[in-house]
Structures are given as structure tokens and as C-alpha cells.
Amino acid sequence: MEFMVQESSAGEREPTSRAVRVAFFGGSFDPPHNGHLAVARAAREALGLDRVLFAPVGAQPLKPQGSTADFHHRLAMTELAIAGEPAFGVSLLDAPNPAGTPNYTLHTLQKLKADMPGVNLFCLMGADSFVSLRRWYGAAEIPFEATLVIASRPGEDIQDLAAHVPAGLALEIPQFCLQSANPDIALVTCALRNPQGRTASLYILPGLNVEVSATEVRAQIRSGNIADAAHPLIPGAVAGYVREHGLYL
Ligand code: ATP
């Protein structure tokens, strides 16, 4: 089955169709926080995404110490975090492997593509993840499986991304600085070129810089600072779940 959406714009007689735009957003979500939501919302608006799939990871290959909360808690909290956002969903694509082996993003994206033929696939990540990309399994192939969308993040120099592209790829920056479906959200379009001359688009959201990390959230919970539902770092429903299950203490 091909996934298409019908679009009609002013002056057009017939609606045109375009491939459905789906973004994969992998992470530990330990716990999910307002930074994750801000990245997904900005990407959805700037790129006209139809769906963002939040996929809590079973075993992150570059975090051998594992996550703090069990997978079922991270999954439940991610569901609570995105409730009320109709374009967002939670995916089990990166659920723990039966043998506990690491989840590789390359394989996950290939599975997703096979499950959703014809979909225009994107992969969201923060600038800190992009900086580590060259150490990921099959790093040079990933941008050709899904168009990368990189969100700026405090502490990461967005001007310096070219220094971190996977070995064998070259970043051409920027081709042009426009195309955002929402003029309030800056979007920079670049291209990655492989040695065979094949190019893949890569998008940067340079204006985000949301000062939240799960590490900071866990530290605040440990020190008793996330007691009420109106905390600025995490959705209220996530704070409630954390309290109810005594997580991160
Ligand atoms: P931790 O502090 O435990 O390392 P984290 O806050 O980075 O966690 P993850 O669940 O590991 O959260 O992140 C999932 C993805 O979301 C990663 O690609 C990460 O770069 C991105 N991300 C998380 N928080 C932000 C943020 N504030 N701004 C931009 N990207 C973010």
C-alpha cells in the first residue's frame, strides 16, 4: 500500500497528492521532556510532517550503561507526553530485542521503510546525536534511508556540523535557507554527498536551543524539585507518572 495525502491549494482545480511525510524520532526518553516535544513540534511545522513516531529504544548501542527507567515505564511516559498531539504517535519499532542486543537505527529505519512503502521518511535528532553519528552502526548509510533533521541544542555549535559527518560523506552547506512551511521556524537545507556522488538532503533547525535534558530532569527529580504538575521541563502527566511509580529517586 502506498501512503499518499491529497492537497489542494488556492487556484488549483484538482487536488495534487504527495507522499506522506513520516518522521522517526528515536531516543531513550528517560524520561520524555519538553525538549523532545519542542523538537518534534518544530520539525512537524517546518517540514509539514504528517506524523512523528516517538520510538523509545530498548538498548542504545552508545549507552552501554543502559537507561535508568525500564522500557515499559519509558514507553508509558512517552505515550503520556504526546497525548493530545494528534500528529504524534509512539512506535515499538525500537523495542528491546529478545536477546537484549543493541538496537541499530539503520536497521530500524530499513524496517520502517519496508512497513510503509512510498512514505517520505525523515529521522529527527538533536545536534548532540549528530555529533556522535559517525560512531553509529552503518552511519554513512543512514542519511540515505531517511532524511536527517538536526535540531540545535545548547552546548553544540551548529556551525560546526560539517566536522562531524560520517566518514566518507561530505556536507554541502547550506544549499538554501528557506522552505520552512512555517515562516516563524528557521530551516536550513544542506546536502550530504557520498563517494559515488549520490546526495541526500539534510535539514537543520538552527533556532531551537531548548535548554532541557533528561539528565537534568532526573537530577531535579532526585533532589525533589519536580513536585508539581506545572513544571517547565516535563509534561504534567509525565511528572504524575514519575511520582506514582517512584522513578529516578
Ligand atoms: P540524556 O540527558 O539522558 O542523554 P536526552 O535529553 O538527550 O537524554 P534522549 O531521549 O537521549 O534525551 O534524546 C532523544 C533525541 O532527542 C536525541 O536525538 C537528542 O539529541 C534529542 N534531544 C533531546 N533533548 C533535546 C533538546 N533539548 N534539544 C534538541 N534535541 C534534543
Side-chain angles (χ1 to χ4, degrees):
M1 183 173 71
E2 297 271 308
F3 293 81
M4 307 291 282
V5 287
Q6 297 279 310
E7 275 187 340
S8 57
S9 50
E12 272 181 349
R13 288 212 186 105
E14 299 290 332
T16 55
S17 57
R18 64 161 175 82
V20 168
R21 293 180 185 175
V22 174
F24 172 83
F25 190 20
S28 301
F29 301 113
D30 188 22
H33 53 65
N34 292 341
H36 296 124
L37 293 174
V39 168
R41 286 185 189 124
R44 186 181 67 74
E45 289 193 30
L47 290 158
L49 301 174
D50 299 294
R51 193 115 182 104
V52 179
L53 296 176
F54 289 63
V57 67
Q60 217 266 49
L62 297 182
K63 285 186 180 169
Q65 73 283 12
S67 299
T68 305
D70 285 348
F71 180 78
H72 74 278
H73 285 311
R74 293 184 285 117
L75 184 68
M77 290 188 285
T78 308
E79 274 163 357
L80 290 171
I82 64 157
E85 300 264 3
F88 295 173
V90 173
S91 164
L92 282 172
L93 267 176
D94 249 352
N97 292 319
T101 50
N103 301 74
Y104 294 117
T105 301
L106 177 65
H107 294 157
T108 306
L109 293 173
Q110 287 168 338
K111 247 188 300 173
L112 187 54
K113 257 173 113 168
D115 287 351
M116 304 178 102
V119 152
N120 193 351
L121 193 57
F122 296 80
C123 178
L124 308 187
M125 65 179 72
D128 58 310
S129 292
F130 185 78
V131 163
S132 71
L133 182 64
R134 55 170 54 201
R135 294 190 287 129
W136 295 18
Y137 175 83
E141 293 173 59
I142 291 173
F144 295 91
E145 294 296 336
T147 302
L148 300 187
V149 183
I150 316 299
S152 55
R153 191 168 187 181
E156 299 296 341
D157 184 359
I158 208 80
Q159 307 296 331
D160 199 31
L161 291 188
H164 301 287
V165 299
L169 301 184
L171 185 66
E172 299 171 355
I173 36 171
Q175 287 182 324
F176 37 88
C177 293
L178 45 111
Q179 266 212 341
S180 177
N182 178 339
D184 294 333
I185 301 175
L187 183 69
V188 176
T189 308
C190 308
L192 284 167
R193 184 179 293 277
N194 74 7
Q196 291 73 42
R198 195 169 160 215
T199 57
S201 296
L202 174 146
Y203 294 99
I204 301 171
L205 294 161
L208 226 55
N209 289 312
V210 185
E211 185 80 62
V212 190
S213 72
T215 304
E216 168 67 15
V217 172
R218 292 193 298 272
Q220 290 215 12
I221 292 168
R222 261 196 312 277
S223 53
N225 283 343
I226 297 195
D228 75 82
H231 200 277
L233 302 187
I234 52 175
V238 173
Y241 187 98
V242 165
R243 263 198 313 279
E244 190 185 327
H245 295 270
L247 302 180
Y248 307 119
L249 295 173

